[in-house]
Amino acid sequence: MKQILKFGIAGTIITAICCFTPLLVVILGALGLSAWVGGLDQVLFPLLAFFAAITLFAFLRLRGAK
């Protein structure tokens, strides 16, 4: 369960960085893939919710196991 918690936390942090900073926009623009920027919100926000749910699930399972 600790591995799932670490996976969830890492995924949440990485996705949040890509959602709330222009880092991914700059990278895609530098690679010539700026046409994909318009659809990022359709992918990143559900992905952020998914990783946050994994983190919450693992945290609650670990807290309940003690």
Side-chain angles (χ1 to χ4, degrees):
M1 214 29 77
K2 287 184 180 184
Q3 292 173 340
I4 294 174
L5 182 63
K6 289 178 185 177
F7 175 75
I9 290 171
T12 302
I13 290 171
I14 291 169
T15 307
I17 288 171
C18 289
C19 280
F20 301 118
T21 64
L23 179 69
L24 195 57
V25 174
V26 171
I27 292 172
L28 288 176
L31 294 175
L33 301 172
S34 59
W36 291 3
V37 172
L40 284 179
D41 288 343
Q42 296 174 353
V43 175
L44 289 176
F45 285 126
L47 197 60
L48 180 62
F50 173 73
F51 282 122
I54 288 175
T55 303
L56 183 63
F57 170 74
F59 177 74
L60 291 176
R61 290 287 300 253
L62 278 174
R63 198 173 105 189
K66 291 182 180 180

